[in-house]
Amino acid sequence: MFGPPAAAKRKRDDVLTACFGIDGNFTVIVEERSGEASDDACAKRREFNVWSSLLAQWSPVFEKMVGSENYAESQKAEVIIRDFSADAVELFLRFFYSGSVAGAIPVLAEVAAMADKYQVEALHSSCLHLVRQAMKPEAACEVLASADRFHLEDLRAEALDLIFTKSAEALKERPVLRPELLGEILDSGWLCMSEDDVKKTLQNWGKENDSLQPIIEARIQRATVRTSGEHTKDVLGTLWQRYVAAGKRGAFLGYWVVVMLGPQQAEMCREDAGSVTAMARNDAATPVTFQPGDAAKRNLSPVVQAGGPLMAKGPQDVGDGQGGKNLSRPPSTLCSRRRACFGKGGNFTVIVEESSSDASDDADMKVEAEAKRTEFQVWSSMLSHHSPVFEKMIGSDNYAESQQAEVVIQDFSAGSVEIFLRYLYTGSVRGSASALLEVAAMADKYQVEVLHALCMRLVREAFQPVIACEVFAAADRLCMEDLRSEARDLILTQPEKALQKRPPLLPELLEEILESGLLCMSEDALMKTLQSWGEKEGDCLEPIIKARIPSTPLRVVSLRGEHTTNLLQTLWDRYCDAGEKGAFVGYWVNVLLGPGQSQICTQDGLLSMARMDTLFTLGQGWVQWYLPYCSFHLQGFSFPNYYGNDISASTSFRIHVKSGEDGATWHLAYESEKKEIQEGTFLPCKRPEGLVQYFKLEVLEGELPKTYFHIQGILQTSV
């Protein structure tokens, strides 16, 4: 099965019954034909009651069908579907209520075809996305069969490509295919396996009395060796290798490959044809510079990562509304759908009471209480479906909420509760960073795991310095410690952008930032920033701002921070800027080597480890760094080497840290847990309270190959 997590699948039958089984005003009838039994028509007839407004809002086809009296469907308030199965129709309709879809590959492909027919683009993209996620070699034949049946041509081509390139895995088990499809695969000449391997694979399938057996036996008995395919990421390079393997007989350029140059590429047209030959074999050692031609005139100049693949025709990456990309319709459509289903026919009331201390007397307090009370009518089964907490609350007569058919919420705002409830109906969510964080906290309280993850992902995707203070304030109020730390780090490292405008912070939070000694800006720049905020009488931040801005130009020097991605190199740069006076190893940085590190135990080796300017290999054992006169706000680590040497999963290592204040206790900051780490990947860590002065890198198994060890964070320094 593919789709949302198990927690989001609970009580699906209850949701179906409550939302489009009882109160719907339109009937979808599915008639599945079969010639096996005379009374099969009755057995294969299924009906679904839904809201016609939901069908119309999601599907332009249904919108015309139910919105005009000229159609029989509108007059009878029903539609009959004969070209899709009842299971597929059920998933299709359920998507309108939940915004998510789940199922096996065949049914997801069928739903995609149905969504394409009725022009439900979000569902069509979501189903194809889920199928592609699940399309491993062992599932490629199943995908091919479904894509072929429902005429999903792009998906069919992708499945065929996977079968051709990963033949041994894709054809390991006897596939469930039409004979024509198996024949197309075996006779294509593109299978990336030898003829002998093909016959062994077919023989391993054994004999079965099915429609594939004649094709299998004919292929096994065939004596002629057929052409096999070879998968390559560089066709020109592969042809050159074949030419070399053949003894370089004959001409490569002109026989194996023909290169034709456009009018702007005259520089390549030398007498010895060296550049043209390089183009023919795609020789990486002979780089070629292209001059502007027709492509440039058409503005076809994308920026790509070196060595990265460019897909010839990439599918649109659309999620399922349950942790993938937002599947929300335009705002007007959302509002229409909300009016259709979110507020009508509900059997449960969600009451939001927002307290306020702004009122000055009893009369004002009464008006304020009335103004801050908001009610939402919803279906109890919808709450139970998404939330285990509501499921228990509503499903038991022992709870007052169940007896009174209402729940009172006092710890979240009405705006956030509305977003929370709307998600239960639409499967999509939108709002400001602070609103999404409050919805995430509410989702965490009521155990709507998918919504919590979706809100946190959307906030992190939009997480820029300009909203760092907003996120910092919301995360602090909602006790989200990890996100609070991330927002605080962003403010400290990029204060010019984060503090460009007067921040929406509590006084104690602003004071925490300004007095941390880690703000990465000079004191003069900080003064100018505070002055640019202007004066705002009655604002709770004003006393802190005025106290920070001096009345005279003279001011006591304070601590500030410097953000660095390579702590040891930064200390070396400071040492050089100071004239290289005194000893770097022993004063600026102390290096301690564990047993077995004799290869490093030289004066030059210690200096290189102290300033981290040379690639090193560390076997089982440890190295420790101590900064006697520096304090460091740790953010994470990385192991770059600039040669693409990743750290193998067979290597196990840990990084410990400790602060100068608590020099006796090591804290585990990072553990590799025997997983492969790509070269240069930033590794966030568990940070101890306070600033760090000790670092210990310990290899438990395997070895760290030639690499650098970079420590990232904010270095506290005196201005």
Side-chain angles (χ1 to χ4, degrees):
M1 297 288 288
F2 311 101
K9 297 179 182 177
R10 300 175 181 174
K11 294 288 184 180
R12 288 180 297 183
D13 292 338
D14 290 346
V15 175
L16 181 63
T17 301
C19 293
F20 64 93
I22 296 178
D23 297 288
N25 61 353
F26 195 87
T27 304
V28 176
I29 302 170
V30 184
E31 292 183 354
E32 296 182 83
R33 290 172 292 180
S34 174
E36 296 179 2
S38 58
D39 61 344
D40 194 59
C42 296
K44 291 294 183 179
R45 180 185 175 96
R46 286 188 62 182
E47 297 184 1
F48 302 91
N49 289 321
V50 295
W51 290 102
S52 60
S53 55
L54 270 181
L55 296 176
Q57 293 303 330
W58 278 102
S59 167
V61 177
F62 277 118
E63 183 179 13
K64 293 180 180 179
M65 187 184 299
V66 302
S68 174
E69 295 181 355
N70 296 328
Y71 291 94
E73 290 85 356
S74 177
Q75 297 172 3
K76 297 180 180 179
E78 69 178 29
V79 64
I80 299 176
I81 295 176
R82 296 187 176 94
D83 48 351
F84 296 102
S85 68
D87 291 340
V89 173
E90 181 178 355
L91 289 183
F92 177 85
L93 296 175
R94 184 178 294 164
F95 175 83
F96 296 166
Y97 286 78
S98 67
S100 65
V101 63
I105 287 175
V107 72
L108 285 175
E110 186 176 0
V111 174
M114 186 176 178
D116 183 56
K117 175 180 179 179
Y118 292 104
Q119 299 178 24
V120 186
E121 297 178 4
L123 178 57
H124 176 73
S125 300
S126 181
C127 288
L128 293 182
H129 174 70
L130 291 174
V131 172
R132 287 186 172 104
Q133 281 186 326
M135 191 163 60
K136 308 298 182 185
E138 54 271 18
C141 287
E142 183 180 17
V143 175
L144 173 64
S146 299
D148 179 79
R149 177 187 173 194
F150 297 109
H151 307 289
L152 304 170
E153 296 303 327
D154 289 345
L155 194 63
R156 185 185 192 279
E158 293 174 37
L160 270 176
D161 282 349
L162 189 57
I163 295 171
F164 290 149
T165 56
K166 302 286 185 180
S167 309
E169 300 172 58
L171 300 177
K172 184 177 181 180
E173 303 292 338
R174 189 185 193 100
V176 181
L177 295 173
R178 292 189 299 111
E180 296 84 352
L181 289 180
L182 181 60
E184 178 181 350
I185 292 171
L186 297 180
D187 294 328
S188 65
W190 299 113
L191 277 174
C192 294
M193 59 194 311
S194 67
E195 184 69 14
D196 289 340
D197 288 338
V198 171
K199 291 183 177 180
K200 289 179 182 178
T201 298
L202 298 179
Q203 289 169 344
N204 290 335
W205 291 353
K207 293 185 178 181
E208 294 185 14
N209 187 22
D210 62 7
S211 59
L212 300 183
Q213 194 61 35
I215 297 176
I216 297 172
E217 292 179 354
R219 182 71 186 212
I220 292 175
Q221 296 172 3
R222 181 181 295 162
T224 305
V225 175
R226 295 185 58 83
T227 304
S228 62
E230 177 185 355
H231 183 241
T232 176
K233 297 180 180 179
D234 178 11
V235 63
L236 299 178
T238 300
L239 289 175
W240 175 257
Q241 292 171 4
R242 290 189 177 185
Y243 172 69
V244 173
K248 294 187 178 180
R249 297 177 181 176
F252 181 74
L253 180 63
Y255 182 81
W256 290 70
V257 176
V258 175
V259 177
M260 300 179 66
L261 302 178
Q264 305 295 329
Q265 313 304 332
E267 184 180 345
M268 301 179 194
C269 194
R270 301 171 183 170
E271 292 183 0
D272 60 358
S275 295
V276 180
T277 302
M279 288 286 292
R281 66 191 186 195
N282 196 24
D283 189 351
T286 311
V288 177
T289 302
F290 288 89
Q291 298 298 325
D294 292 338
K297 294 176 183 177
R298 293 194 302 269
N299 196 27
L300 301 178
S301 54
V303 178
V304 298
Q305 184 179 2
L310 298 176
M311 301 302 294
K313 186 180 179 182
Q316 184 179 4
D317 187 12
V318 179
D320 61 357
Q322 296 283 359
K325 293 186 179 180
N326 198 341
L327 287 181
S328 58
R329 302 287 292 270
S332 59
T333 303
L334 267 179
C335 294
S336 299
R337 193 164 73 254
R338 179 175 176 269
R339 284 194 298 268
C341 196
F342 177 54
K344 292 184 178 180
N347 60 354
F348 196 87
T349 305
V350 177
I351 303 170
V352 184
E353 293 181 352
E354 297 178 85
S355 59
S356 175
S357 57
D358 296 336
S360 57
D361 52 44
D362 292 342
D364 290 338
M365 291 182 67
K366 182 178 180 180
V367 173
E368 184 69 25
E370 292 176 354
K372 290 293 183 179
R373 181 184 175 93
T374 308
E375 297 185 2
F376 301 95
Q377 296 293 325
V378 295
W379 289 102
S380 60
S381 53
M382 184 67 78
L383 296 174
S384 300
H385 161 56
H386 287 279
S387 166
V389 176
F390 278 120
E391 183 182 15
K392 292 181 180 179
M393 186 187 299
I394 296 171
S396 173
D397 293 336
N398 298 328
Y399 292 94
E401 291 84 357
S402 177
Q403 298 172 3
Q404 300 173 8
E406 67 178 31
V407 63
V408 179
I409 296 177
Q410 298 175 323
D411 46 353
F412 297 102
S413 67
S416 297
V417 172
E418 181 176 355
I419 295 174
F420 175 89
L421 295 175
R422 182 179 296 167
Y423 170 83
L424 306 185
Y425 283 77
T426 67
S428 63
V429 63
R430 61 176 59 193
S432 64
S434 55
L436 289 176
L437 286 178
E438 188 173 359
V439 174
M442 186 175 178
D444 184 57
K445 175 179 179 179
Y446 292 106
Q447 298 179 22
V448 186
E449 298 176 3
V450 178
L451 177 57
H452 177 266
L454 177 58
C455 288
M456 297 301 291
R457 181 182 64 79
L458 291 175
V459 170
R460 285 193 163 93
E461 284 181 354
F463 200 15
Q464 301 295 329
V466 292
I467 65 167
C469 288
E470 179 186 357
V471 174
F472 183 45
D476 179 80
R477 176 169 56 88
L478 300 168
C479 301
M480 297 178 174
E481 295 302 325
D482 289 344
L483 196 61
R484 185 188 191 278
S485 297
E486 293 178 36
R488 183 174 181 268
D489 280 355
L490 191 55
I491 297 170
L492 294 174
T493 55
Q494 299 191 50
E496 290 85 356
K497 297 179 181 179
L499 300 177
Q500 188 174 9
K501 298 181 180 179
R502 179 184 290 255
L505 295 174
L506 294 173
E508 52 268 29
L509 293 183
L510 179 60
E511 201 162 22
E512 178 182 342
I513 294 294
L514 297 180
E515 302 298 332
S516 65
L518 297 171
L519 205 59
C520 295
M521 65 191 312
S522 66
E523 189 69 17
D524 289 341
L526 177 59
M527 292 303 104
K528 292 178 181 178
T529 296
L530 297 179
Q531 290 169 346
S532 70
W533 293 352
E535 294 187 7
K536 190 176 182 180
E537 293 299 329
D539 181 62
C540 60
L541 300 182
E542 198 63 29
I544 298 175
I545 298 171
K546 289 182 177 179
R548 187 79 187 191
I549 299 176
S551 57
T552 62
L554 297 177
R555 183 169 175 81
V556 178
V557 174
S558 66
L559 293 176
R560 68 177 179 91
E562 178 185 355
H563 185 250
T564 175
T565 58
N566 186 356
L567 169 61
L568 299 176
Q569 183 63 52
T570 299
L571 290 176
W572 173 255
D573 292 341
R574 289 189 179 186
Y575 171 72
C576 295
D577 293 341
E580 299 188 15
K581 297 178 181 179
F584 182 73
V585 178
Y587 185 82
W588 289 72
V589 178
N590 281 332
V591 180
L592 280 73
L593 303 177
Q597 308 303 328
S598 57
Q599 76 278 10
I600 308 174
C601 194
T602 65
Q603 192 64 32
D604 291 341
L606 287 176
L607 179 60
S608 295
M609 291 295 289
R611 63 192 183 190
M612 196 47 62
D613 63 347
T614 304
L615 295 169
F616 72 96
T617 298
L618 184 64
Q620 294 185 23
W622 54 265
V623 178
Q624 179 179 323
W625 293 265
Y626 169 48
L627 316 180
Y629 304 106
C630 295
S631 297
F632 192 71
H633 176 70
L634 178 64
Q635 292 178 335
F637 311 95
S638 64
F639 292 90
N641 56 61
Y642 312 115
Y643 295 102
N645 297 328
D646 300 335
I647 298 177
S648 170
S650 62
T651 300
S652 176
F653 68 91
R654 295 174 179 171
I655 304 174
H656 302 266
V657 298
K658 62 181 177 179
S659 65
E661 299 177 358
D662 182 18
T665 305
W666 286 101
H667 298 269
L668 179 61
Y670 182 83
E671 185 171 6
S672 65
E673 298 177 347
K674 290 189 175 182
K675 58 185 178 184
E676 183 176 352
I677 301 174
Q678 288 187 334
E679 177 267 327
T681 301
F682 175 72
L683 306 174
C685 62
K686 300 177 182 177
R687 298 180 287 192
E689 295 183 4
L691 303 180
V692 175
Q693 288 183 282
Y694 296 83
F695 304 88
K696 184 178 181 180
L697 174 60
E698 181 181 15
V699 177
L700 305 176
E701 296 181 33
E703 69 173 14
L704 289 173
K706 290 184 178 181
T707 187
Y708 297 102
F709 176 47
H710 286 183
I711 306 170
Q712 179 170 322
I714 302 175
L715 183 60
Q716 191 181 70
T717 178
S718 176
V719 178

